Amino acid sequence: MEKELMLEGMKCDGCVATVQERFSAIAGVEKVTVDLEGKKATVQMNQDIPEAAFNEALADTKFKVTGSK
């Protein structure tokens, strides 16, 4: 199962690394690909994970999930 998450607040490769690390730590996430230019993350999961879980993972950062596909 795959989900595309639109992101706000990313400006550099360090931002990409932080988002990848935070999302990868969520139970059920198998792979995370973050696109800085496209301001999105593509997440492959073995279960449905609500968008709120991704925002929780970013709670103490400057990043925010603004929507999903």
Side-chain angles (χ1 to χ4, degrees), residues 18-32:
T18 298
V19 171
Q20 281 182 316
E21 181 181 311
R22 297 295 180 98
F23 286 179
S24 293
I26 298 171
V29 171
E30 295 177 330
K31 183 179 177 185
V32 179

Side-chain angles (χ1 to χ4, degrees), residues 17-52:
T18 298
V19 171
Q20 281 182 316
E21 181 181 311
R22 297 295 180 98
F23 286 179
S24 293
I26 298 171
V29 171
E30 295 177 330
K31 183 179 177 185
V32 179
T33 306
V34 180
D35 177 2
L36 178 61
E37 196 172 301
K39 298 183 181 180
K40 64 183 178 181
T42 303
V43 183
Q44 293 181 3
M45 315 167 278
N46 61 19
Q47 63 189 35
D48 189 29
I49 301 170
E51 191 176 308

Side-chain angles (χ1 to χ4, degrees), residues 3-4 7 18 25 31 33 58:
K3 188 177 280 196
E4 190 174 278
L7 297 164
T18 298
K31 183 179 177 185
T33 306
L58 300 176

